[in-house]
Amino acid sequence: KKKKKKKKKKKKKKENKKDSNPEYWKIAPSLLYPEARPLTPALQEALETNTHPVESQEELGYGISLLCDWRENWYTYDNYDNESSSSNSVIDPETGHAEYDCDEIEGIVPHDLVGTLYRNGPGKFGVNGERVQHVLDADALVYKLEFPGGSNHNNNNNKNKIRFRSRFVETQHFREERSANRFLYRGTFGTGPTSETLDMRRPKNGLNTDPIEPSTLSKIVGGAFNTNIKNSANTQIISFGGKLLALFEAGLPHRLDPDTLETLGEDTMGGTLKSALPVKLENVPEEA
């Protein structure tokens, strides 16, 4: 009888272990659903079988994340080593620079896929160890993938390897905050300047943890007479008129070097755009 009881206990423990999913096997909280939710059967099956879940057209674009903590989708990598060729060397935290060949590819890239894909989005999530209040206030990280074509990219011919390169968009606001080691401008989504004196003792939690809220007095003093919205240049990237431009809704576009991705400065498109109203076009003839 004692042996049977022990067996039952062991069986119970196994069942409990099997039923307890890892913490990240949940649908992350969102504005509409502030609490984490259990996975749908389709997502559960996709995770267990390591396959992509089938989504209908109506389901696309709802931003469902399989991680309880949404910050894991917007993570700052701190382990860059300029001298190392290790896979742990991800990105230079000062410039955003990274450059390497994509050696591991799933499937086969079509032979006739030739050209360069540019992408832009939030990439530098804070200043001097303090995270932005919202990811969309982060400075832009632009990256590009070069597809040389003419190969299935599964051989050792360096000429045919897909090449990755990235860099932060170094706006004037970016450079000033980097030099000052603190936020100097208002972000669109809640990040803002604070008083350097009043904020001196507030601890910094790092770029991957929620920042501690500054005091009201510190925000008032830091933001007094400072109504400038920071141009983070993180909205979109386009090739237009022979120029590569990083865009922002409330500021001028920034022109980038299409090869090195270095920032060349603000671009008014020949004086067409104004810094105060960047999307207002003047003296544009109407079509006949």
Side-chain angles (χ1 to χ4, degrees), residues 240 243 245 251-255 265-278 280-282:
F240 182 80
K243 302 174 182 178
L245 301 171
L252 289 171
H254 282 75
R255 187 175 179 183
E266 289 184 340
D267 197 295
T268 63
M269 304 301 289
T272 303
L273 302 178
K274 308 293 182 183
S275 58
L277 295 170
K280 182 179 180 182
L281 302 180
E282 297 177 358

Side-chain angles (χ1 to χ4, degrees), residues 145-158:
L145 290 166
E146 294 178 286
F147 296 84
S151 169
N152 62 9
H153 305 290
N154 288 332
N155 56 34
N156 293 322
N157 187 349
N158 288 331

Side-chain angles (χ1 to χ4, degrees), residues 7 13 20 35 58 65 69 118 134 138 142-143 169 212 215 255 273:
K7 282 183 180 178
K13 281 183 181 178
S20 60
E35 299 296 329
E58 290 75 24
S65 171
D69 189 349
Y118 293 95
H134 192 287
V142 168
Y143 68 86
V169 179
I212 295 175
S215 68
R255 187 175 179 183
L273 302 178

Side-chain angles (χ1 to χ4, degrees), residues 125-227:
F125 298 109
V127 178
N128 192 28
E130 182 175 7
R131 189 177 174 89
V132 291
Q133 295 289 337
H134 192 287
V135 292
L136 295 184
D137 284 338
D139 292 290
L141 175 73
V142 168
Y143 68 86
K144 69 173 185 174
L145 290 166
E146 294 178 286
F147 296 84
S151 169
N152 62 9
H153 305 290
N154 288 332
N155 56 34
N156 293 322
N157 187 349
N158 288 331
K159 292 181 180 179
N160 293 320
K161 284 188 175 180
I162 296 173
R163 188 79 175 160
F164 174 93
R165 179 177 284 183
S166 68
R167 189 174 280 274
F168 293 135
V169 179
E170 297 193 12
T171 66
Q172 181 182 343
H173 295 161
F174 173 100
R175 294 193 300 271
E176 288 177 4
E177 290 189 339
R178 183 171 61 186
S179 298
N181 265 336
R182 65 188 186 93
F183 296 117
L184 300 174
Y185 297 96
R186 296 179 185 273
T188 312
F189 296 91
T191 308
T194 56
S195 166
E196 189 174 10
T197 305
L198 296 174
D199 217 31
M200 191 180 298
R201 293 184 180 180
R202 182 166 59 92
K204 294 179 173 60
N205 287 344
L207 299 185
N208 296 316
T209 307
D210 274 344
I212 295 175
E213 186 75 16
S215 68
T216 303
L217 180 60
S218 177
K219 288 191 284 186
I220 291 173
V221 174
F225 310 109
N226 185 355
T227 58

